Amino acid sequence: MTTSQDVADYLTTLIKRSGKTQALIARECGFATANMITMLKKNQSKIPLGRVPALAKSLGVDPGEMLNHCLQAYEPELYRVLAGILPAMLISQKEFKIIQALRIASKSGAFST
């Protein structure tokens, strides 16, 4: 089970990997100050779900992957409901492209049953 500390650690790793300053990331995500990024890294605040797309873009990661981490940690009941009803919503863009390619291949007859 993913915890809020796991999300904070994930975010810290992504920030280090990005090579960007916290001030730049904060600006790109619409946060008033870099202090918010520090609070997220220290697990003193949750990533606002509405900021996930901008934060993921700033850090160069798939927004679906980041949302997955956040929902599992912050809203586990909602995550379980969504995973049961709309599992396709909880996959990354790369995974979705693979699924699309499989669907195209199966329609073309590349896979026979």
XYZ file of all heavy atoms in Angstrom:
858
model
N 0.845 -1.189 0.000
C 0.000 0.000 0.000
C 0.885 1.246 0.000
O 1.843 1.351 0.755
C -0.903 -0.006 1.218
C -1.747 1.208 1.334
S -2.835 1.053 2.758
C -3.658 2.588 2.651
N 0.567 2.173 -0.863
C 1.306 3.421 -0.963
C 0.874 4.367 0.157
O -0.312 4.524 0.412
C 1.049 4.090 -2.327
O 1.417 3.180 -3.354
C 1.839 5.361 -2.487
N 1.841 4.992 0.807
C 1.561 5.936 1.885
C 1.903 7.348 1.434
O 2.569 7.548 0.413
C 2.392 5.605 3.142
O 3.786 5.846 2.837
C 2.190 4.166 3.589
N 1.474 8.331 2.225
C 1.815 9.719 1.899
C 3.326 9.936 1.964
O 3.869 10.743 1.209
C 1.065 10.697 2.798
O 1.383 10.474 4.150
N 4.025 9.188 2.822
C 5.488 9.293 2.864
C 6.095 8.751 1.570
O 7.073 9.294 1.063
C 6.067 8.558 4.079
C 7.578 8.730 4.232
C 7.997 10.188 4.377
O 7.508 10.901 5.243
N 8.901 10.637 3.520
N 5.510 7.687 1.027
C 5.974 7.157 -0.261
C 5.843 8.214 -1.355
O 6.730 8.348 -2.202
C 5.171 5.914 -0.666
C 5.392 4.725 0.239
O 6.479 4.601 0.838
O 4.447 3.904 0.360
N 4.742 8.950 -1.345
C 4.538 10.009 -2.340
C 5.580 11.106 -2.150
O 6.158 11.594 -3.125
C 3.105 10.582 -2.267
C 2.942 11.775 -3.199
C 2.078 9.514 -2.607
N 5.849 11.481 -0.916
C 6.867 12.506 -0.634
C 8.238 12.044 -1.121
O 8.990 12.822 -1.732
C 6.895 12.831 0.852
N 8.569 10.783 -0.875
C 9.853 10.237 -1.335
C 9.925 10.197 -2.857
O 10.960 10.522 -3.454
C 10.070 8.833 -0.767
C 10.230 8.816 0.749
O 10.511 9.876 1.356
O 10.058 7.721 1.334
N 8.827 9.787 -3.491
C 8.726 9.750 -4.952
C 8.947 11.152 -5.524
O 9.739 11.344 -6.451
C 7.343 9.202 -5.317
C 6.881 9.339 -6.740
C 7.418 8.568 -7.755
C 5.842 10.208 -7.068
C 6.958 8.664 -9.063
C 5.367 10.313 -8.353
C 5.932 9.540 -9.348
O 5.462 9.647 -10.642
N 8.283 12.128 -4.932
C 8.416 13.508 -5.387
C 9.848 14.006 -5.215
O 10.413 14.641 -6.114
C 7.438 14.417 -4.634
C 7.445 15.883 -5.043
C 7.025 16.037 -6.496
C 6.540 16.683 -4.133
N 10.451 13.717 -4.083
C 11.838 14.135 -3.818
C 12.774 13.560 -4.879
O 13.638 14.276 -5.412
C 12.271 13.693 -2.412
O 11.404 14.314 -1.457
C 13.704 14.073 -2.120
N 12.589 12.295 -5.203
C 13.410 11.650 -6.229
C 13.219 12.327 -7.584
O 14.189 12.595 -8.295
C 13.060 10.149 -6.330
O 13.330 9.535 -5.078
C 13.857 9.460 -7.428
N 11.967 12.606 -7.932
C 11.681 13.248 -9.218
C 12.302 14.644 -9.297
O 12.821 15.034 -10.346
C 10.175 13.341 -9.439
C 9.427 12.025 -9.628
C 7.925 12.287 -9.738
C 9.939 11.270 -10.848
N 12.245 15.379 -8.204
C 12.809 16.730 -8.188
C 14.319 16.669 -8.375
O 14.886 17.421 -9.181
C 12.419 17.475 -6.894
C 10.920 17.778 -6.911
C 13.238 18.749 -6.724
C 10.358 18.261 -5.595
N 14.978 15.766 -7.668
C 16.434 15.611 -7.823
C 16.776 15.244 -9.255
O 17.711 15.793 -9.848
C 16.964 14.539 -6.872
C 17.027 14.968 -5.434
C 17.537 13.835 -4.551
C 17.480 14.226 -3.090
N 17.859 13.100 -2.208
N 16.024 14.309 -9.813
C 16.268 13.833 -11.167
C 16.050 14.935 -12.209
O 16.702 14.954 -13.247
C 15.354 12.648 -11.448
C 15.777 11.811 -12.622
C 14.865 10.630 -12.855
N 14.824 9.745 -11.701
C 13.869 8.872 -11.472
N 12.850 8.749 -12.283
N 13.908 8.095 -10.408
N 15.119 15.851 -11.928
C 14.773 16.889 -12.910
C 15.874 17.922 -13.090
O 15.991 18.535 -14.146
C 13.482 17.607 -12.496
O 13.725 18.531 -11.441
N 16.665 18.147 -12.032
C 17.700 19.172 -12.097
C 17.163 20.589 -11.978
O 17.905 21.552 -12.099
N 15.873 20.709 -11.735
C 15.252 22.036 -11.618
C 15.290 22.510 -10.166
O 15.304 21.703 -9.247
C 13.794 21.991 -12.075
C 13.617 21.708 -13.538
C 12.139 21.720 -13.914
C 11.942 21.515 -15.392
N 10.510 21.609 -15.759
N 15.222 23.820 -10.004
C 15.108 24.366 -8.655
C 13.667 24.253 -8.191
O 12.739 24.187 -9.000
C 15.519 25.852 -8.602
O 14.571 26.612 -9.381
C 16.935 26.070 -9.135
N 13.499 24.242 -6.884
C 12.144 24.194 -6.331
C 11.376 25.451 -6.708
O 10.170 25.383 -6.926
C 12.199 24.011 -4.815
C 12.672 22.640 -4.421
C 12.625 22.368 -2.936
O 13.121 21.356 -2.499
N 12.039 23.238 -2.140
N 12.065 26.571 -6.806
C 11.406 27.824 -7.193
C 10.832 27.714 -8.610
O 9.699 28.141 -8.866
C 12.376 28.991 -7.093
N 11.600 27.130 -9.525
C 11.125 26.972 -10.896
C 9.940 26.004 -10.950
O 8.934 26.278 -11.611
C 12.250 26.465 -11.801
C 11.865 26.172 -13.251
C 11.274 27.401 -13.936
C 13.058 25.636 -14.015
N 10.053 24.896 -10.245
C 8.959 23.920 -10.225
C 7.692 24.566 -9.661
O 6.609 24.410 -10.219
C 9.356 22.676 -9.410
C 10.495 21.939 -10.117
C 8.151 21.755 -9.205
C 11.186 20.896 -9.258
N 7.849 25.317 -8.586
C 6.696 25.997 -7.978
C 6.030 26.938 -8.981
O 4.803 26.954 -9.104
C 7.131 26.756 -6.730
N 6.830 27.714 -9.686
C 6.275 28.638 -10.693
C 5.547 27.871 -11.789
O 4.451 28.251 -12.204
C 7.386 29.490 -11.319
C 7.725 30.736 -10.551
C 8.549 31.728 -11.374
N 9.745 31.149 -11.985
C 10.912 30.995 -11.360
N 11.048 31.352 -10.105
N 11.944 30.472 -11.990
N 6.154 26.800 -12.272
C 5.548 26.029 -13.356
C 4.231 25.376 -12.933
O 3.383 25.104 -13.773
C 6.530 24.957 -13.846
C 7.709 25.534 -14.590
C 8.732 24.499 -15.026
O 8.695 23.344 -14.540
O 9.580 24.856 -15.871
N 4.077 25.154 -11.633
C 2.872 24.491 -11.117
C 1.851 25.468 -10.556
O 0.770 25.056 -10.138
C 3.249 23.496 -10.023
S 4.317 22.208 -10.641
N 2.208 26.736 -10.501
C 1.277 27.730 -9.995
C 1.254 27.880 -8.484
O 0.319 28.458 -7.939
N 2.275 27.370 -7.799
C 2.372 27.578 -6.355
C 2.968 28.955 -6.100
O 3.839 29.407 -6.842
C 3.260 26.508 -5.696
C 2.679 25.129 -5.714
C 3.359 24.078 -6.326
C 1.461 24.849 -5.119
C 2.839 22.798 -6.342
C 0.927 23.569 -5.131
C 1.620 22.546 -5.746
N 2.515 29.611 -5.049
C 2.967 30.968 -4.744
C 4.449 31.026 -4.371
O 5.140 31.984 -4.724
C 2.122 31.561 -3.615
N 4.917 30.007 -3.667
C 6.323 30.007 -3.245
C 6.907 28.596 -3.343
O 6.178 27.606 -3.394
C 6.487 30.467 -1.776
O 5.906 29.483 -0.921
C 5.837 31.819 -1.535
N 8.232 28.541 -3.303
C 8.928 27.249 -3.302
C 8.722 26.521 -1.977
O 8.965 25.315 -1.893
C 10.408 27.454 -3.574
N 8.272 27.235 -0.964
C 8.021 26.596 0.332
C 7.005 25.468 0.210
O 7.073 24.487 0.950
C 7.531 27.615 1.366
C 8.623 28.544 1.807
O 9.803 28.293 1.571
N 8.241 29.636 2.438
N 6.070 25.594 -0.709
C 5.072 24.538 -0.895
C 5.747 23.252 -1.362
O 5.395 22.158 -0.910
C 3.999 24.981 -1.892
C 2.893 23.997 -2.046
S 2.030 23.727 -0.485
C 0.881 22.475 -0.939
N 6.731 23.378 -2.235
C 7.464 22.202 -2.711
C 8.203 21.551 -1.541
O 8.195 20.330 -1.397
C 8.442 22.569 -3.843
C 7.711 23.240 -5.025
C 9.228 21.345 -4.294
C 6.678 22.385 -5.707
N 8.794 22.365 -0.689
C 9.476 21.844 0.501
C 8.492 21.099 1.393
O 8.794 20.008 1.888
C 10.148 22.988 1.288
O 11.111 23.625 0.440
C 10.822 22.488 2.545
N 7.321 21.664 1.593
C 6.305 21.012 2.420
C 5.866 19.676 1.829
O 5.643 18.709 2.558
C 5.105 21.939 2.618
C 5.410 23.145 3.479
S 4.061 24.351 3.536
C 2.755 23.389 4.255
N 5.761 19.606 0.505
C 5.385 18.357 -0.154
C 6.472 17.307 0.036
O 6.182 16.144 0.328
C 5.128 18.592 -1.646
C 3.955 19.496 -2.006
C 3.951 19.769 -3.508
C 2.640 18.899 -1.559
N 7.722 17.724 -0.134
C 8.846 16.798 0.024
C 8.971 16.280 1.452
O 9.385 15.144 1.673
C 10.152 17.486 -0.375
C 10.335 17.672 -1.860
C 11.540 18.501 -2.229
C 12.801 18.131 -1.516
N 13.959 18.946 -1.920
N 8.624 17.100 2.418
C 8.724 16.712 3.825
C 7.459 16.028 4.334
O 7.344 15.758 5.523
C 9.021 17.947 4.687
C 10.414 18.497 4.478
C 10.675 19.653 5.410
C 12.091 20.150 5.267
N 12.368 21.235 6.221
N 6.530 15.775 3.454
C 5.259 15.131 3.803
C 4.469 15.961 4.819
O 3.741 15.420 5.636
C 5.491 13.705 4.314
C 4.244 12.869 4.316
O 3.318 13.115 3.556
N 4.196 11.879 5.185
N 4.617 17.259 4.741
C 3.863 18.157 5.609
C 2.571 18.611 4.939
O 1.729 19.227 5.578
C 4.713 19.376 5.982
C 5.925 19.019 6.815
C 6.868 20.179 7.024
O 6.849 21.163 6.284
N 7.712 20.060 8.027
N 2.452 18.311 3.664
C 1.251 18.652 2.909
C 1.093 17.624 1.788
O 2.080 17.034 1.343
C 1.376 20.058 2.316
O 0.186 20.424 1.658
N -0.129 17.412 1.371
C -0.411 16.507 0.261
C -0.326 17.279 -1.056
O -0.615 18.475 -1.097
C -1.815 15.922 0.391
C -2.014 15.046 1.605
C -3.455 14.580 1.674
C -3.696 13.719 2.884
N -5.097 13.275 2.968
N 0.023 16.563 -2.110
C -0.009 17.182 -3.429
C -1.476 17.430 -3.774
O -2.274 16.486 -3.784
C 0.617 16.258 -4.499
C 2.097 16.011 -4.200
C 0.426 16.849 -5.896
C 2.741 14.968 -5.104
N -1.854 18.679 -4.038
C -3.235 18.927 -4.443
C -3.516 18.186 -5.758
O -2.765 18.330 -6.722
C -3.292 20.448 -4.642
C -2.115 20.987 -3.895
C -1.077 19.919 -3.958
N -4.543 17.374 -5.788
C -4.810 16.547 -6.960
C -4.989 17.372 -8.232
O -4.609 16.931 -9.316
C -6.026 15.650 -6.718
C -5.861 14.626 -5.594
C -7.132 13.788 -5.440
C -4.658 13.733 -5.809
N -5.516 18.564 -8.082
C -5.676 19.448 -9.233
C -4.363 19.950 -9.803
O -4.313 20.407 -10.951
N -3.299 19.849 -9.033
C -1.971 20.288 -9.492
C -1.140 19.144 -10.063
O -0.036 19.351 -10.551
C -1.190 20.925 -8.341
C -1.827 22.136 -7.706
C -1.650 23.378 -8.581
N -2.384 24.491 -8.020
C -1.836 25.525 -7.435
N -0.538 25.617 -7.332
N -2.591 26.486 -6.951
N -1.652 17.923 -9.993
C -0.889 16.770 -10.481
C -0.472 16.930 -11.943
O 0.698 16.705 -12.272
C -1.659 15.450 -10.242
C -1.054 14.299 -11.039
C -1.679 15.119 -8.760
N -1.364 17.320 -12.868
C -0.923 17.441 -14.265
C 0.234 18.435 -14.442
O 1.212 18.119 -15.133
C -2.181 17.923 -15.000
C -3.313 17.416 -14.161
C -2.814 17.547 -12.739
N 0.153 19.592 -13.815
C 1.216 20.586 -13.954
C 2.510 20.116 -13.294
O 3.602 20.313 -13.840
C 0.773 21.923 -13.354
N 2.392 19.489 -12.134
C 3.574 19.012 -11.428
C 4.246 17.888 -12.227
O 5.473 17.866 -12.381
C 3.198 18.543 -10.027
C 4.325 18.144 -9.085
C 5.338 19.259 -8.910
C 3.755 17.734 -7.734
N 3.450 16.977 -12.749
C 4.002 15.883 -13.558
C 4.700 16.434 -14.800
O 5.800 15.990 -15.160
C 2.895 14.913 -13.949
N 4.072 17.404 -15.442
C 4.686 18.014 -16.636
C 6.000 18.689 -16.269
O 7.003 18.520 -16.963
C 3.728 19.023 -17.263
C 4.276 19.667 -18.510
C 3.288 20.629 -19.133
C 3.892 21.257 -20.381
N 3.007 22.257 -20.961
N 6.011 19.431 -15.186
C 7.218 20.118 -14.751
C 8.351 19.137 -14.474
O 9.513 19.423 -14.757
C 6.925 20.950 -13.497
O 8.106 21.542 -13.001
N 8.000 17.970 -13.923
C 9.013 16.985 -13.540
C 9.262 15.932 -14.618
O 10.085 15.033 -14.434
C 8.609 16.321 -12.222
C 8.537 17.288 -11.037
C 7.990 16.589 -9.808
C 9.918 17.890 -10.754
N 8.535 16.034 -15.731
C 8.773 15.137 -16.856
C 8.329 13.705 -16.636
O 8.972 12.776 -17.115
N 7.228 13.536 -15.891
C 6.705 12.186 -15.662
C 5.266 12.099 -16.148
O 4.604 13.106 -16.368
C 6.784 11.766 -14.175
C 8.228 11.703 -13.717
C 5.974 12.673 -13.291
N 4.799 10.886 -16.269
C 3.433 10.647 -16.715
C 2.452 11.114 -15.635
O 2.573 10.699 -14.476
C 3.245 9.144 -16.965
C 1.889 8.838 -17.537
O 1.745 8.896 -18.765
O 0.974 8.550 -16.747
N 1.490 11.968 -15.983
C 0.538 12.448 -14.976
C -0.324 11.327 -14.398
O -0.685 11.362 -13.224
C -0.316 13.475 -15.715
C -0.046 13.265 -17.156
C 1.268 12.577 -17.291
N -0.620 10.308 -15.197
C -1.397 9.180 -14.696
C -0.643 8.422 -13.615
O -1.232 7.987 -12.621
N 0.653 8.259 -13.814
C 1.476 7.577 -12.813
C 1.490 8.365 -11.502
O 1.324 7.801 -10.421
C 2.901 7.412 -13.335
C 3.841 6.737 -12.363
C 5.261 6.658 -12.879
O 5.463 6.503 -14.101
O 6.185 6.761 -12.052
N 1.675 9.680 -11.604
C 1.697 10.503 -10.397
C 0.333 10.493 -9.707
O 0.242 10.382 -8.483
C 2.121 11.941 -10.713
C 2.267 12.809 -9.479
S 2.876 14.473 -9.818
C 4.618 14.134 -10.057
N -0.725 10.594 -10.490
C -2.068 10.560 -9.912
C -2.314 9.226 -9.215
O -2.910 9.188 -8.134
C -3.130 10.804 -10.988
C -4.580 10.815 -10.496
C -4.806 11.939 -9.484
C -5.537 10.943 -11.666
N -1.847 8.151 -9.816
C -1.969 6.832 -9.205
C -1.354 6.813 -7.802
O -1.968 6.348 -6.848
C -1.242 5.802 -10.069
C -2.125 4.721 -10.588
O -3.205 4.493 -10.083
N -1.649 4.047 -11.607
N -0.124 7.303 -7.705
C 0.559 7.353 -6.406
C -0.250 8.171 -5.395
O -0.441 7.746 -4.254
C 1.957 7.962 -6.538
C 2.961 7.077 -7.187
N 3.423 5.918 -6.610
C 3.609 7.179 -8.366
C 4.318 5.354 -7.405
N 4.435 6.099 -8.479
N -0.701 9.335 -5.843
C -1.430 10.237 -4.938
C -2.752 9.630 -4.478
O -3.076 9.672 -3.286
C -1.666 11.583 -5.613
S -0.168 12.543 -5.893
N -3.517 9.080 -5.411
C -4.809 8.499 -5.036
C -4.648 7.314 -4.095
O -5.403 7.175 -3.128
C -5.590 8.074 -6.278
C -6.256 9.187 -7.078
C -6.891 8.615 -8.346
C -7.284 9.924 -6.250
N -3.672 6.457 -4.372
C -3.452 5.308 -3.492
C -3.122 5.751 -2.071
O -3.586 5.151 -1.103
C -2.310 4.439 -4.020
C -2.691 3.613 -5.220
C -1.538 2.759 -5.681
O -1.034 1.939 -4.933
N -1.112 2.955 -6.922
N -2.328 6.818 -1.956
C -1.893 7.280 -0.636
C -2.929 8.146 0.062
O -3.168 7.985 1.256
C -0.586 8.061 -0.767
N -3.536 9.060 -0.674
C -4.401 10.062 -0.052
C -5.870 9.642 -0.008
O -6.613 10.059 0.874
C -4.323 11.393 -0.804
C -2.943 11.972 -1.000
C -2.677 12.800 -2.086
C -1.901 11.728 -0.112
C -1.435 13.366 -2.286
C -0.643 12.285 -0.320
C -0.419 13.097 -1.403
O 0.815 13.648 -1.597
N -6.297 8.896 -1.002
C -7.712 8.518 -1.130
C -7.823 7.031 -1.470
O -8.297 6.660 -2.544
C -8.388 9.357 -2.226
C -8.394 10.839 -1.987
C -9.336 11.251 -0.880
O -10.255 10.466 -0.549
O -9.160 12.349 -0.356
N -7.382 6.141 -0.566
C -7.354 4.715 -0.905
C -8.721 4.133 -1.259
O -8.823 3.282 -2.145
C -6.762 4.052 0.340
C -6.861 5.065 1.426
C -6.883 6.409 0.774
N -9.773 4.583 -0.611
C -11.104 4.064 -0.927
C -11.524 4.477 -2.335
O -12.022 3.667 -3.118
C -12.127 4.552 0.096
C -13.502 3.956 -0.123
C -14.513 4.392 0.934
O -14.134 5.038 1.929
O -15.688 4.058 0.753
N -11.306 5.736 -2.678
C -11.614 6.212 -4.025
C -10.769 5.468 -5.050
O -11.267 5.078 -6.111
C -11.370 7.720 -4.137
C -11.554 8.344 -5.512
C -12.968 8.132 -6.024
C -11.203 9.827 -5.468
N -9.500 5.254 -4.739
C -8.629 4.516 -5.657
C -9.183 3.114 -5.922
O -9.237 2.680 -7.064
C -7.208 4.421 -5.096
C -6.305 3.605 -5.978
C -5.723 4.159 -7.105
C -6.068 2.262 -5.711
C -4.922 3.407 -7.946
C -5.272 1.496 -6.536
C -4.694 2.077 -7.655
O -3.909 1.323 -8.479
N -9.612 2.418 -4.859
C -10.156 1.066 -5.026
C -11.413 1.086 -5.897
O -11.609 0.220 -6.748
C -10.453 0.433 -3.670
C -9.224 -0.100 -2.974
C -9.569 -0.933 -1.750
N -10.255 -0.192 -0.693
C -9.651 0.559 0.207
N -8.337 0.688 0.196
N -10.347 1.199 1.128
N -12.272 2.088 -5.698
C -13.492 2.197 -6.509
C -13.131 2.429 -7.969
O -13.636 1.748 -8.859
C -14.406 3.328 -5.979
C -15.530 3.616 -6.953
C -14.956 2.972 -4.607
N -12.241 3.374 -8.227
C -11.850 3.674 -9.601
C -11.149 2.495 -10.260
O -11.385 2.199 -11.433
C -10.949 4.912 -9.649
C -11.618 6.232 -9.279
C -10.589 7.351 -9.239
C -12.747 6.566 -10.237
N -10.307 1.817 -9.505
C -9.589 0.660 -10.051
C -10.565 -0.450 -10.430
O -10.337 -1.178 -11.395
C -8.563 0.154 -9.048
N -11.658 -0.560 -9.686
C -12.657 -1.580 -9.985
C -13.567 -1.213 -11.131
O -13.961 -2.064 -11.927
N -13.898 0.059 -11.236
C -14.854 0.506 -12.254
C -14.158 0.943 -13.539
O -14.593 0.626 -14.629
C -15.706 1.679 -11.712
C -16.555 1.207 -10.543
C -16.587 2.264 -12.814
C -17.286 2.326 -9.841
N -13.095 1.716 -13.383
C -12.415 2.306 -14.537
C -10.923 1.992 -14.522
O -10.096 2.900 -14.460
C -12.595 3.833 -14.516
C -14.017 4.352 -14.469
C -14.047 5.831 -14.169
C -14.698 4.078 -15.793
N -10.539 0.738 -14.590
C -9.112 0.431 -14.472
C -8.262 1.102 -15.550
O -7.115 1.445 -15.304
C -9.057 -1.098 -14.584
C -10.338 -1.493 -15.191
C -11.335 -0.439 -14.816
N -8.826 1.328 -16.727
C -8.070 1.967 -17.801
C -7.667 3.390 -17.442
O -6.695 3.917 -17.964
C -8.874 1.961 -19.099
N -8.416 4.004 -16.539
C -8.094 5.369 -16.134
C -6.805 5.409 -15.312
O -6.152 6.430 -15.231
C -9.248 5.934 -15.308
C -9.103 7.388 -14.973
S -10.530 7.912 -14.029
C -9.735 8.300 -12.501
N -6.440 4.290 -14.729
C -5.316 4.258 -13.813
C -4.049 3.687 -14.446
O -3.164 3.203 -13.753
C -5.695 3.468 -12.561
C -6.890 4.049 -11.799
C -7.289 3.125 -10.662
C -6.585 5.435 -11.270
N -3.941 3.777 -15.773
C -2.727 3.325 -16.439
C -1.987 4.531 -16.995
O -2.564 5.598 -17.199
C -3.025 2.297 -17.560
C -3.880 2.911 -18.668
C -3.656 1.048 -16.994
C -4.059 2.023 -19.873
N -0.717 4.355 -17.250
C 0.097 5.444 -17.781
C -0.169 5.627 -19.274
O -0.763 4.757 -19.921
C 1.577 5.161 -17.552
O 2.009 4.123 -18.417
N 0.317 6.730 -19.815
C 0.142 6.987 -21.244
C 0.899 5.949 -22.071
O 0.431 5.518 -23.119
C 0.611 8.399 -21.577
C -0.298 9.462 -21.004
C 0.225 10.872 -21.195
O 1.365 11.082 -21.608
N -0.594 11.856 -20.872
N 2.067 5.518 -21.586
C 2.829 4.485 -22.298
C 2.056 3.168 -22.316
O 2.001 2.490 -23.338
C 4.198 4.278 -21.645
C 5.156 5.420 -21.883
C 6.486 5.165 -21.218
C 7.411 6.348 -21.392
N 8.690 6.145 -20.699
N 1.473 2.800 -21.187
C 0.682 1.571 -21.127
C -0.523 1.661 -22.061
O -0.875 0.688 -22.733
C 0.219 1.299 -19.691
C 1.347 0.936 -18.752
C 0.954 0.997 -17.282
O 0.079 1.811 -16.913
O 1.547 0.227 -16.505
N -1.144 2.829 -22.115
C -2.299 3.019 -22.987
C -1.900 2.856 -24.456
O -2.634 2.250 -25.239
C -2.939 4.381 -22.743
C -4.189 4.601 -23.548
C -5.339 3.876 -23.271
C -4.220 5.525 -24.582
C -6.498 4.063 -24.021
C -5.366 5.716 -25.330
C -6.508 4.984 -25.044
N -0.727 3.355 -24.838
C -0.264 3.209 -26.217
C -0.040 1.744 -26.567
O -0.332 1.311 -27.680
C 1.001 4.025 -26.444
C 0.745 5.518 -26.499
C 2.011 6.304 -26.709
C 1.690 7.791 -26.684
N 2.890 8.611 -26.879
N 0.456 0.972 -25.618
C 0.646 -0.464 -25.848
C -0.707 -1.133 -26.067
O -0.873 -1.952 -26.982
C 1.406 -1.113 -24.668
C 2.854 -0.613 -24.645
C 1.356 -2.637 -24.749
C 3.615 -0.968 -23.389
N -1.678 -0.779 -25.247
C -3.024 -1.344 -25.391
C -3.619 -0.964 -26.741
O -4.220 -1.803 -27.424
C -3.936 -0.900 -24.225
C -3.460 -1.572 -22.932
C -5.400 -1.222 -24.508
C -4.089 -1.016 -21.679
N -3.444 0.283 -27.144
C -3.961 0.712 -28.444
C -3.320 -0.095 -29.569
O -4.007 -0.514 -30.504
C -3.687 2.204 -28.662
C -4.586 3.112 -27.876
C -4.257 4.570 -28.122
O -3.096 4.964 -28.094
N -5.287 5.354 -28.374
N -2.015 -0.320 -29.489
C -1.312 -1.094 -30.519
C -1.840 -2.528 -30.555
O -2.020 -3.103 -31.643
C 0.190 -1.075 -30.255
N -2.097 -3.109 -29.396
C -2.651 -4.467 -29.350
C -4.040 -4.510 -29.973
O -4.380 -5.463 -30.686
C -2.700 -4.975 -27.904
C -1.363 -5.356 -27.281
C -1.526 -5.640 -25.790
C -0.771 -6.564 -27.990
N -4.850 -3.502 -29.707
C -6.191 -3.467 -30.288
C -6.125 -3.367 -31.813
O -6.876 -4.044 -32.523
C -6.980 -2.279 -29.725
C -7.428 -2.492 -28.302
C -8.170 -1.284 -27.774
N -8.584 -1.507 -26.395
C -8.940 -0.545 -25.576
N -8.965 0.718 -25.980
N -9.294 -0.825 -24.332
N -5.231 -2.523 -32.311
C -5.075 -2.371 -33.763
C -4.598 -3.679 -34.370
O -5.122 -4.134 -35.400
C -4.098 -1.214 -34.077
C -4.746 0.123 -33.708
C -3.682 -1.236 -35.541
C -3.796 1.309 -33.712
N -3.630 -4.314 -33.720
C -3.103 -5.572 -34.230
C -4.178 -6.670 -34.225
O -4.247 -7.455 -35.170
C -1.894 -6.017 -33.397
N -4.998 -6.689 -33.193
C -6.026 -7.737 -33.136
C -7.109 -7.496 -34.187
O -7.652 -8.448 -34.745
C -6.636 -7.837 -31.743
O -7.399 -6.699 -31.441
N -7.410 -6.247 -34.487
C -8.404 -5.950 -35.523
C -7.877 -6.289 -36.920
O -8.642 -6.638 -37.808
C -8.806 -4.475 -35.471
C -9.702 -4.149 -34.320
C -10.058 -2.676 -34.309
C -10.879 -2.350 -33.080
N -11.151 -0.912 -32.973
N -6.563 -6.182 -37.103
C -5.980 -6.469 -38.416
C -5.784 -7.954 -38.661
O -5.366 -8.359 -39.722
C -4.629 -5.750 -38.551
O -3.663 -6.373 -37.720
N -6.062 -8.756 -37.626
C -5.928 -10.191 -37.776
C -4.547 -10.716 -37.403
O -4.237 -11.874 -37.626
N -3.714 -9.849 -36.876
C -2.367 -10.266 -36.479
C -2.414 -11.320 -35.373
O -1.525 -12.146 -35.270
C -1.545 -9.067 -36.012
N -3.459 -11.269 -34.583
C -3.654 -12.273 -33.522
C -4.878 -13.082 -33.882
O -5.962 -12.563 -34.055
C -3.882 -11.603 -32.154
C -2.729 -10.778 -31.675
C -2.835 -9.400 -31.606
C -1.536 -11.378 -31.273
C -1.776 -8.629 -31.138
C -0.481 -10.613 -30.829
C -0.597 -9.245 -30.764
N -4.712 -14.350 -33.984
C -5.881 -15.195 -34.261
C -6.135 -16.092 -33.063
O -5.220 -16.542 -32.402
C -5.664 -16.021 -35.521
O -4.507 -16.821 -35.380
N -7.406 -16.334 -32.812
C -7.775 -17.176 -31.665
C -8.114 -18.574 -32.085
O -8.346 -18.908 -33.170
C -8.972 -16.566 -30.921
O -10.039 -16.393 -31.827
C -8.589 -15.281 -30.268
